[in-house]
Amino acid sequence: MHDHTPPPPKDDPAFAKHDHHRCAGEGLARAEEILAGRKVRLTPVRRRTLEILLEDHRALGAYEVLERLAADGFGNQPPVAYRALEFLVDHGLAHRVRRLNAFTACRHSGQDHAPAFLICRQCNAVAEAPADAVRSALDTTADKLGFVIERSNIEALGLCPACRDAA
Amino acid sequence: MHDHTPPPPKDDPAFAKHDHHRCAGEGLARAEEILAGRKVRLTPVRRRTLEILLEDHRALGAYEVLERLAADGFGNQPPVAYRALEFLVDHGLAHRVRRLNAFTACRHSGQDHAPAFLICRQCNAVAEAPADAVRSALDTTADKLGFVIERSNIEALGLCPACRDAA
DNA sequence: CCTTGACCTGTTATGATATTACATAGATAT
DNA sequence: ATATCTATGTAATATCATAACAGGTCAAGG
Protein backbone atom coordinates (compact mmCIF):
# COMPACT_ATOMS: atom_id res chain seq x y z
CA MET A 1 0.00 0.00 0.00
CA HIS A 2 1.28 3.52 0.42
CA ASP A 3 0.87 4.49 4.04
CA HIS A 4 2.81 1.78 5.62
CA THR A 5 3.94 3.04 8.95
CA PRO A 6 1.50 5.75 9.85
CA PRO A 7 2.02 7.79 12.97
CA PRO A 8 0.03 6.34 15.83
CA PRO A 9 -3.22 8.17 16.21
CA LYS A 10 -3.54 10.51 19.15
CA ASP A 11 -6.58 8.98 20.73
CA ASP A 12 -8.97 6.57 19.33
CA PRO A 13 -11.62 4.43 20.92
CA ALA A 14 -14.30 6.66 19.65
CA PHE A 15 -11.48 9.21 19.45
CA ALA A 16 -11.41 9.97 23.15
CA LYS A 17 -8.77 9.52 25.81
CA HIS A 18 -8.87 6.37 27.86
CA ASP A 19 -6.93 4.10 30.16
CA HIS A 20 -5.23 1.94 27.61
CA HIS A 21 -3.48 -0.59 29.79
CA ARG A 22 -6.77 -1.42 31.36
CA CYS A 23 -8.61 -1.78 28.08
CA ALA A 24 -5.98 -4.17 26.72
CA GLY A 25 -6.05 -6.34 29.82
CA GLU A 26 -9.79 -6.54 29.71
CA GLY A 27 -9.66 -7.58 26.11
CA LEU A 28 -7.61 -10.63 26.90
CA ALA A 29 -9.71 -11.60 29.90
CA ARG A 30 -12.86 -11.30 27.86
CA ALA A 31 -11.36 -13.42 25.12
CA GLU A 32 -10.66 -16.27 27.50
CA GLU A 33 -14.15 -16.05 28.86
CA ILE A 34 -15.70 -16.21 25.44
CA LEU A 35 -13.59 -19.09 24.22
CA ALA A 36 -14.10 -21.12 27.38
CA GLY A 37 -17.62 -21.93 26.29
CA ARG A 38 -16.61 -23.15 22.83
CA LYS A 39 -14.43 -26.13 22.19
CA VAL A 40 -11.48 -24.15 20.90
CA ARG A 41 -8.09 -23.24 22.25
CA LEU A 42 -6.43 -19.91 22.74
CA THR A 43 -2.99 -21.21 21.82
CA PRO A 44 0.19 -19.19 22.29
CA VAL A 45 0.28 -17.78 18.74
CA ARG A 46 -3.37 -16.87 18.89
CA ARG A 47 -3.05 -15.30 22.29
CA ARG A 48 0.00 -13.34 21.29
CA THR A 49 -1.68 -12.20 18.10
CA LEU A 50 -4.58 -10.84 20.09
CA GLU A 51 -2.19 -9.10 22.47
CA ILE A 52 -0.43 -7.46 19.55
CA LEU A 53 -3.71 -6.15 18.20
CA LEU A 54 -4.77 -4.95 21.62
CA GLU A 55 -1.51 -3.13 22.24
CA ASP A 56 -2.21 -0.75 19.45
CA HIS A 57 -5.25 1.33 18.81
CA ARG A 58 -4.96 0.98 15.13
CA ALA A 59 -5.52 -1.59 12.45
CA LEU A 60 -2.46 -3.70 11.68
CA GLY A 61 -1.69 -5.41 8.41
CA ALA A 62 -1.13 -9.15 8.49
CA TYR A 63 2.53 -8.74 7.64
CA GLU A 64 2.98 -6.24 10.39
CA VAL A 65 1.51 -8.71 12.85
CA LEU A 66 3.69 -11.41 11.36
CA GLU A 67 6.86 -9.44 12.00
CA ARG A 68 6.00 -9.07 15.63
CA LEU A 69 5.14 -12.73 15.96
CA ALA A 70 8.39 -13.75 14.30
CA ALA A 71 10.28 -11.47 16.67
CA ASP A 72 8.67 -13.39 19.50
CA GLY A 73 9.90 -16.71 18.17
CA PHE A 74 6.88 -17.83 16.20
CA GLY A 75 6.98 -18.77 12.54
CA ASN A 76 7.72 -16.09 10.03
CA GLN A 77 5.65 -17.15 7.06
CA PRO A 78 2.38 -15.43 6.15
CA PRO A 79 0.06 -18.32 7.02
CA VAL A 80 1.14 -18.07 10.65
CA ALA A 81 -0.34 -14.61 10.91
CA TYR A 82 -3.28 -15.17 8.62
CA ARG A 83 -4.39 -18.27 10.45
CA ALA A 84 -4.26 -16.69 13.87
CA LEU A 85 -6.04 -13.60 12.60
CA GLU A 86 -8.70 -15.66 10.94
CA PHE A 87 -9.28 -17.52 14.15
CA LEU A 88 -9.73 -14.30 16.08
CA VAL A 89 -12.08 -12.88 13.49
CA ASP A 90 -14.14 -16.06 13.40
CA HIS A 91 -14.62 -15.86 17.12
CA GLY A 92 -15.43 -12.20 17.19
CA LEU A 93 -12.24 -11.20 19.00
CA ALA A 94 -10.95 -9.15 16.10
CA HIS A 95 -12.28 -7.57 12.98
CA ARG A 96 -11.00 -7.20 9.52
CA VAL A 97 -10.99 -3.69 8.14
CA ARG A 98 -11.12 -4.25 4.45
CA ARG A 99 -10.52 -0.74 3.36
CA LEU A 100 -7.10 -0.93 5.02
CA ASN A 101 -6.36 -4.59 4.40
CA ALA A 102 -5.84 -4.73 8.11
CA PHE A 103 -7.05 -6.19 11.38
CA THR A 104 -7.98 -4.70 14.69
CA ALA A 105 -8.90 -6.11 18.08
CA CYS A 106 -12.58 -6.09 18.83
CA ARG A 107 -13.38 -3.58 21.54
CA HIS A 108 -16.79 -4.92 22.35
CA SER A 109 -16.36 -8.64 22.27
CA GLY A 110 -18.96 -10.62 24.05
CA GLN A 111 -21.71 -8.17 23.37
CA ASP A 112 -23.69 -8.98 20.33
CA HIS A 113 -21.78 -6.86 17.96
CA ALA A 114 -22.20 -5.50 14.50
CA PRO A 115 -19.38 -3.05 14.34
CA ALA A 116 -19.00 -0.09 12.06
CA PHE A 117 -15.56 1.29 11.48
CA LEU A 118 -14.87 4.96 11.19
CA ILE A 119 -11.55 5.50 9.53
CA CYS A 120 -9.85 8.88 9.55
CA ARG A 121 -8.18 9.50 6.23
CA GLN A 122 -5.85 11.98 7.84
CA CYS A 123 -4.44 10.29 10.93
CA ASN A 124 -5.45 6.71 10.24
CA ALA A 125 -7.27 6.31 13.51
CA VAL A 126 -9.86 3.57 13.41
CA ALA A 127 -12.83 3.69 15.73
CA GLU A 128 -15.19 0.80 16.21
CA ALA A 129 -18.55 2.40 16.60
CA PRO A 130 -21.55 0.57 17.98
CA ALA A 131 -23.68 -0.05 14.96
CA ASP A 132 -26.74 -1.87 16.14
CA ALA A 133 -28.96 0.72 14.54
CA VAL A 134 -27.04 0.53 11.29
CA ARG A 135 -27.09 -3.22 11.29
CA SER A 136 -30.78 -3.36 11.91
CA ALA A 137 -31.44 -0.97 9.03
CA LEU A 138 -29.30 -3.23 6.89
CA ASP A 139 -31.24 -6.29 7.99
CA THR A 140 -34.48 -4.61 7.04
CA THR A 141 -33.13 -3.69 3.63
CA ALA A 142 -31.89 -7.22 3.00
CA ASP A 143 -35.09 -8.72 4.24
CA LYS A 144 -37.10 -6.95 1.59
CA LEU A 145 -35.03 -8.73 -1.03
CA GLY A 146 -35.22 -12.08 0.67
CA PHE A 147 -31.53 -12.01 1.41
CA VAL A 148 -30.27 -13.52 4.64
CA ILE A 149 -27.27 -11.74 6.10
CA GLU A 150 -24.67 -13.81 7.85
CA ARG A 151 -21.85 -11.32 8.17
CA SER A 152 -21.52 -7.66 7.46
CA ASN A 153 -18.80 -5.10 6.95
CA ILE A 154 -19.68 -1.52 7.54
CA GLU A 155 -16.89 0.96 7.03
CA ALA A 156 -16.72 4.69 6.57
CA LEU A 157 -13.90 6.97 5.55
CA GLY A 158 -13.77 10.57 6.65
CA LEU A 159 -12.35 12.92 9.22
CA CYS A 160 -12.16 12.31 12.94
CA PRO A 161 -12.96 15.21 15.28
CA ALA A 162 -9.31 16.13 15.86
CA CYS A 163 -8.39 16.23 12.20
CA ARG A 164 -11.52 18.05 11.25
CA ASP A 165 -10.72 20.76 13.78
CA ALA A 166 -7.16 20.98 12.53
CA ALA A 167 -8.40 21.57 9.01
CA MET B 1 -8.22 -15.83 -4.48
CA HIS B 2 -10.07 -19.12 -4.55
CA ASP B 3 -13.24 -18.74 -6.55
CA HIS B 4 -11.89 -17.24 -9.66
CA THR B 5 -14.32 -18.08 -12.39
CA PRO B 6 -17.62 -18.55 -10.64
CA PRO B 7 -20.66 -19.61 -12.57
CA PRO B 8 -22.71 -16.61 -13.57
CA PRO B 9 -25.49 -16.04 -11.11
CA LYS B 10 -29.00 -16.89 -12.23
CA ASP B 11 -30.56 -13.53 -11.64
CA ASP B 12 -29.34 -10.66 -9.72
CA PRO B 13 -30.38 -7.04 -9.63
CA ALA B 14 -32.04 -7.52 -6.33
CA PHE B 15 -32.00 -11.18 -7.35
CA ALA B 16 -34.95 -10.90 -9.67
CA LYS B 17 -35.35 -11.43 -13.37
CA HIS B 18 -35.05 -8.40 -15.57
CA ASP B 19 -34.49 -7.15 -19.07
CA HIS B 20 -30.75 -7.11 -19.08
CA HIS B 21 -30.04 -5.58 -22.45
CA ARG B 22 -32.14 -2.66 -21.50
CA CYS B 23 -30.53 -2.14 -18.13
CA ALA B 24 -27.06 -2.16 -19.66
CA GLY B 25 -27.99 0.36 -22.32
CA GLU B 26 -29.51 2.65 -19.77
CA GLY B 27 -26.39 2.46 -17.71
CA LEU B 28 -24.30 3.84 -20.51
CA ALA B 29 -26.78 6.56 -21.37
CA ARG B 30 -26.95 7.64 -17.77
CA ALA B 31 -23.18 7.72 -17.57
CA GLU B 32 -22.91 10.12 -20.47
CA GLU B 33 -25.54 12.32 -18.95
CA ILE B 34 -23.78 12.48 -15.63
CA LEU B 35 -20.37 13.19 -17.08
CA ALA B 36 -21.66 15.85 -19.45
CA GLY B 37 -22.01 18.24 -16.56
CA ARG B 38 -18.49 17.73 -15.28
CA LYS B 39 -15.41 18.59 -17.22
CA VAL B 40 -14.28 15.04 -17.78
CA ARG B 41 -14.23 12.70 -20.72
CA LEU B 42 -15.68 9.27 -21.20
CA THR B 43 -12.77 8.04 -23.29
CA PRO B 44 -12.80 4.75 -25.18
CA VAL B 45 -11.08 2.74 -22.45
CA ARG B 46 -13.33 4.16 -19.80
CA ARG B 47 -16.42 3.63 -21.85
CA ARG B 48 -15.48 0.09 -22.71
CA THR B 49 -14.66 -0.62 -19.08
CA LEU B 50 -18.09 0.53 -18.05
CA GLU B 51 -19.65 -1.61 -20.76
CA ILE B 52 -17.75 -4.63 -19.52
CA LEU B 53 -19.02 -4.11 -16.02
CA LEU B 54 -22.55 -3.55 -17.25
CA GLU B 55 -22.52 -6.68 -19.37
CA ASP B 56 -22.22 -8.85 -16.34
CA HIS B 57 -24.33 -8.86 -13.25
CA ARG B 58 -21.44 -9.68 -11.05
CA ALA B 59 -18.40 -8.06 -9.62
CA LEU B 60 -15.31 -8.38 -11.79
CA GLY B 61 -11.73 -8.30 -10.60
CA ALA B 62 -9.44 -5.70 -12.11
CA TYR B 63 -7.44 -8.34 -13.91
CA GLU B 64 -10.57 -9.85 -15.33
CA VAL B 65 -11.54 -6.46 -16.72
CA LEU B 66 -8.02 -6.02 -17.98
CA GLU B 67 -8.14 -9.23 -19.98
CA ARG B 68 -11.26 -8.09 -21.74
CA LEU B 69 -9.82 -4.68 -22.44
CA ALA B 70 -6.65 -6.21 -23.83
CA ALA B 71 -8.73 -8.49 -26.04
CA ASP B 72 -10.34 -5.35 -27.43
CA GLY B 73 -7.01 -3.85 -28.30
CA PHE B 74 -6.35 -1.71 -25.26
CA GLY B 75 -3.25 -1.96 -23.14
CA ASN B 76 -2.70 -5.10 -21.17
CA GLN B 77 -0.96 -3.83 -18.09
CA PRO B 78 -2.72 -3.47 -14.74
CA PRO B 79 -2.73 0.32 -14.57
CA VAL B 80 -4.90 0.43 -17.67
CA ALA B 81 -7.70 -1.32 -15.84
CA TYR B 82 -7.13 0.23 -12.46
CA ARG B 83 -7.16 3.74 -13.83
CA ALA B 84 -10.35 3.28 -15.76
CA LEU B 85 -12.01 1.62 -12.80
CA GLU B 86 -10.89 4.34 -10.44
CA PHE B 87 -12.34 6.92 -12.77
CA LEU B 88 -15.68 5.18 -12.83
CA VAL B 89 -15.74 4.79 -9.08
CA ASP B 90 -14.81 8.42 -8.52
CA HIS B 91 -17.73 9.49 -10.64
CA GLY B 92 -20.18 7.12 -9.08
CA LEU B 93 -20.56 4.97 -12.19
CA ALA B 94 -19.13 1.90 -10.54
CA HIS B 95 -18.46 0.63 -7.07
CA ARG B 96 -15.69 -1.28 -5.51
CA VAL B 97 -16.73 -4.37 -3.61
CA ARG B 98 -13.94 -4.79 -1.15
CA ARG B 99 -14.90 -8.17 0.12
CA LEU B 100 -14.36 -9.54 -3.37
CA ASN B 101 -11.54 -7.28 -4.49
CA ALA B 102 -13.79 -6.51 -7.37
CA PHE B 103 -15.78 -3.86 -9.16
CA THR B 104 -19.33 -3.64 -10.33
CA ALA B 105 -21.29 -1.16 -12.39
CA CYS B 106 -23.46 1.15 -10.40
CA ARG B 107 -27.11 0.38 -10.97
CA HIS B 108 -28.45 3.60 -9.57
CA SER B 109 -26.08 6.21 -10.84
CA GLY B 110 -27.35 9.71 -10.83
CA GLN B 111 -29.51 9.21 -7.83
CA ASP B 112 -27.81 10.21 -4.65
CA HIS B 113 -26.58 6.85 -3.72
CA ALA B 114 -25.18 5.12 -0.69
CA PRO B 115 -25.18 1.56 -1.85
CA ALA B 116 -25.13 -1.57 0.24
CA PHE B 117 -23.93 -4.76 -1.37
CA LEU B 118 -25.50 -8.08 -0.66
CA ILE B 119 -23.15 -10.83 -1.68
CA CYS B 120 -24.31 -14.42 -1.96
CA ARG B 121 -21.62 -16.72 -0.67
CA GLN B 122 -23.06 -19.56 -2.70
CA CYS B 123 -23.56 -18.22 -6.21
CA ASN B 124 -21.51 -15.01 -5.99
CA ALA B 125 -24.37 -12.82 -7.07
CA VAL B 126 -23.94 -9.24 -5.96
CA ALA B 127 -26.95 -7.04 -5.48
CA GLU B 128 -26.74 -3.34 -4.96
CA ALA B 129 -29.45 -2.57 -2.49
CA PRO B 130 -30.74 0.93 -1.87
CA ALA B 131 -29.30 1.83 1.47
CA ASP B 132 -30.47 5.29 2.27
CA ALA B 133 -31.85 4.10 5.57
CA VAL B 134 -28.62 2.32 6.40
CA ARG B 135 -26.55 5.25 5.44
CA SER B 136 -28.58 7.62 7.51
CA ALA B 137 -28.26 5.38 10.56
CA LEU B 138 -24.54 5.35 9.95
CA ASP B 139 -24.43 9.12 9.72
CA THR B 140 -26.23 9.41 13.01
CA THR B 141 -23.80 7.03 14.65
CA ALA B 142 -20.79 8.90 13.30
CA ASP B 143 -22.27 12.21 14.24
CA LYS B 144 -22.38 11.26 17.89
CA LEU B 145 -18.63 10.77 17.79
CA GLY B 146 -17.99 13.96 15.88
CA PHE B 147 -16.84 12.01 12.86
CA VAL B 148 -17.61 13.32 9.40
CA ILE B 149 -18.23 10.62 6.82
CA GLU B 150 -17.05 11.21 3.28
CA ARG B 151 -17.38 7.76 1.79
CA SER B 152 -18.83 4.53 3.04
CA ASN B 153 -18.70 0.87 2.20
CA ILE B 154 -21.53 -1.27 3.35
CA GLU B 155 -21.31 -4.93 2.46
CA ALA B 156 -23.03 -8.04 3.67
CA LEU B 157 -22.34 -11.68 3.03
CA GLY B 158 -25.08 -14.26 3.16
CA LEU B 159 -27.51 -16.23 1.06
CA CYS B 160 -29.61 -14.89 -1.77
CA PRO B 161 -33.22 -16.08 -2.03
CA ALA B 162 -32.47 -18.70 -4.67
CA CYS B 163 -29.60 -20.27 -2.80
CA ARG B 164 -31.42 -20.17 0.47
CA ASP B 165 -34.33 -22.05 -1.08
CA ALA B 166 -31.96 -24.56 -2.61
CA ALA B 167 -30.45 -25.27 0.80
C1' DC C 1 -1.24 27.79 -37.38
C1' DC C 2 1.34 26.12 -33.88
C1' DT C 3 2.78 25.99 -29.24
C1' DT C 4 1.74 25.12 -24.53
C1' DG C 5 -0.05 22.64 -20.96
C1' DA C 6 -3.34 19.44 -19.13
C1' DC C 7 -4.71 15.05 -19.30
C1' DC C 8 -4.82 10.38 -20.98
C1' DT C 9 -2.70 6.00 -22.32
C1' DG C 10 0.83 2.52 -22.48
C1' DT C 11 4.70 -0.01 -20.48
C1' DT C 12 8.20 -1.61 -17.23
C1' DA C 13 9.06 -2.86 -12.94
C1' DT C 14 8.01 -3.79 -8.40
C1' DG C 15 5.45 -3.92 -4.09
C1' DA C 16 1.88 -5.61 -1.04
C1' DT C 17 -1.52 -8.92 0.17
C1' DA C 18 -3.12 -13.68 0.48
C1' DT C 19 -3.48 -18.75 -0.34
C1' DT C 20 -2.22 -23.72 -1.47
C1' DA C 21 0.03 -27.68 -0.30
C1' DC C 22 2.50 -30.48 2.40
C1' DA C 23 5.26 -31.95 6.42
C1' DT C 24 5.64 -32.13 11.45
C1' DA C 25 4.18 -31.79 16.08
C1' DG C 26 0.88 -31.50 19.87
C1' DA C 27 -3.56 -32.43 22.06
C1' DT C 28 -7.66 -35.55 22.87
C1' DA C 29 -10.23 -39.45 23.20
C1' DT C 30 -10.79 -44.22 23.45
C1' DA D 1 -0.65 -46.38 23.67
C1' DT D 2 -2.49 -45.41 19.64
C1' DA D 3 -5.56 -43.42 16.48
C1' DT D 4 -7.39 -39.01 15.38
C1' DC D 5 -8.08 -34.41 15.08
C1' DT D 6 -6.18 -29.94 15.35
C1' DA D 7 -2.56 -26.70 15.17
C1' DT D 8 1.93 -25.06 13.55
C1' DG D 9 5.87 -24.35 10.41
C1' DT D 10 7.68 -23.73 5.83
C1' DA D 11 8.17 -23.35 0.83
C1' DA D 12 6.29 -21.96 -3.11
C1' DT D 13 3.16 -19.33 -5.61
C1' DA D 14 -1.04 -16.77 -6.71
C1' DT D 15 -3.44 -12.55 -6.65
C1' DC D 16 -4.07 -7.72 -6.22
C1' DA D 17 -2.25 -2.98 -6.66
C1' DT D 18 0.91 0.99 -7.39
C1' DA D 19 5.03 3.92 -8.72
C1' DA D 20 7.48 6.00 -12.23
C1' DC D 21 8.26 7.41 -16.65
C1' DA D 22 7.62 7.93 -21.82
C1' DG D 23 4.88 9.17 -25.46
C1' DG D 24 0.44 10.71 -27.42
C1' DT D 25 -3.94 13.49 -27.85
C1' DC D 26 -6.52 17.49 -27.57
C1' DA D 27 -8.21 22.02 -26.64
C1' DA D 28 -7.03 26.97 -25.53
C1' DG D 29 -4.53 31.01 -26.23
C1' DG D 30 -0.96 33.42 -28.60
Side-chain angles (χ1 to χ4, degrees), chain B residues 2-72:
Chain B
H2 33 62
D3 196 354
H4 220 238
T5 313
K10 305 124 228 259
D11 341 275
D12 179 297
F15 313 118
K17 298 211 163 141
H18 68 295
D19 178 344
H20 178 63
H21 186 281
R22 183 161 154 266
C23 90
E26 280 179 6
L28 258 181
R30 213 155 35 203
E32 292 184 345
E33 229 176 273
I34 290 168
L35 296 184
R38 317 178 189 179
K39 287 203 320 194
V40 296
R41 290 181 287 159
L42 187 59
T43 61
V45 215
R46 292 168 178 175
R47 184 190 184 86
R48 183 72 194 112
T49 300
L50 179 55
E51 282 172 7
I52 289 169
L53 292 182
L54 282 165
E55 275 166 18
D56 235 314
H57 265 298
R58 37 187 276 266
L60 301 181
Y63 279 73
E64 220 169 335
V65 170
L66 179 59
E67 262 181 43
R68 311 256 238 120
L69 286 174
D72 290 346

Side-chain angles (χ1 to χ4, degrees), chain B residues 1-2 41 43 45-46 74-77 79-80 83:
Chain B
M1 215 105 281
H2 33 62
R41 290 181 287 159
T43 61
V45 215
R46 292 168 178 175
F74 295 100
N76 69 343
Q77 297 303 312
V80 171
R83 284 194 288 234

Side-chain angles (χ1 to χ4, degrees), chain A residues 146-148, chain B residues 10 15 119-121 123 125 158-165:
Chain A
F147 188 96
V148 184
Chain B
K10 305 124 228 259
F15 313 118
I119 305 163
C120 181
R121 68 165 155 78
C123 72
L159 283 181
C160 74
C163 291
R164 188 203 30 175
D165 290 348

Side-chain angles (χ1 to χ4, degrees), chain A residues 108-142:
Chain A
H108 310 97
S109 33
Q111 304 159 39
D112 176 24
H113 66 302
F117 292 100
L118 305 179
I119 305 163
C120 181
R121 70 167 154 77
Q122 195 81 51
C123 73
N124 273 281
V126 176
E128 180 182 345
D132 292 354
V134 182
R135 174 56 198 261
S136 109
L138 185 54
D139 279 331
T140 303
T141 297

Side-chain angles (χ1 to χ4, degrees), chain A:
Chain A
M1 215 107 282
H2 33 63
D3 199 353
H4 221 239
T5 313
K10 307 121 226 267
D11 343 274
D12 179 297
F15 312 117
K17 300 213 161 139
H18 67 294
D19 178 345
H20 178 62
H21 185 282
R22 182 160 155 268
C23 91
E26 279 178 7
L28 259 182
R30 214 156 35 203
E32 291 182 347
E33 229 176 90
I34 290 168
L35 295 183
R38 317 178 189 180
K39 287 204 320 196
V40 296
R41 291 178 286 158
L42 187 59
T43 60
V45 216
R46 291 169 179 175
R47 184 191 184 85
R48 184 72 192 110
T49 301
L50 180 54
E51 282 173 7
I52 289 168
L53 292 181
L54 283 166
E55 275 167 19
D56 236 314
H57 264 298
R58 37 186 278 266
L60 300 180
Y63 280 73
E64 221 170 333
V65 170
L66 179 58
E67 262 180 43
R68 312 257 240 119
L69 286 175
D72 290 346
F74 296 100
N76 69 343
Q77 298 300 314
V80 171
Y82 280 102
R83 284 194 289 233
L85 289 166
E86 185 185 23
F87 173 88
L88 296 175
V89 170
D90 282 347
H91 290 89
L93 303 175
H95 297 291
R96 189 169 195 154
V97 182
R98 300 205 99 102
R99 175 149 224 142
L100 303 175
N101 291 324
F103 299 82
T104 185
C106 178
R107 306 288 163 186
H108 310 97
S109 33
Q111 304 159 39
D112 176 24
H113 66 302
F117 292 100
L118 305 179
I119 305 163
C120 181
R121 70 167 154 77
Q122 195 81 51
C123 73
N124 273 281
V126 176
E128 180 182 345
D132 292 354
V134 182
R135 174 56 198 261
S136 109
L138 185 54
D139 279 331
T140 303
T141 297
D143 213 57
K144 283 181 194 153
L145 302 176
F147 188 96
V148 184
I149 294 179
E150 292 167 354
R151 280 189 179 203
S152 65
N153 280 95
I154 301 166
E155 304 179 8
L157 190 73
L159 283 181
C160 74
C163 292
R164 188 202 30 174
D165 290 348

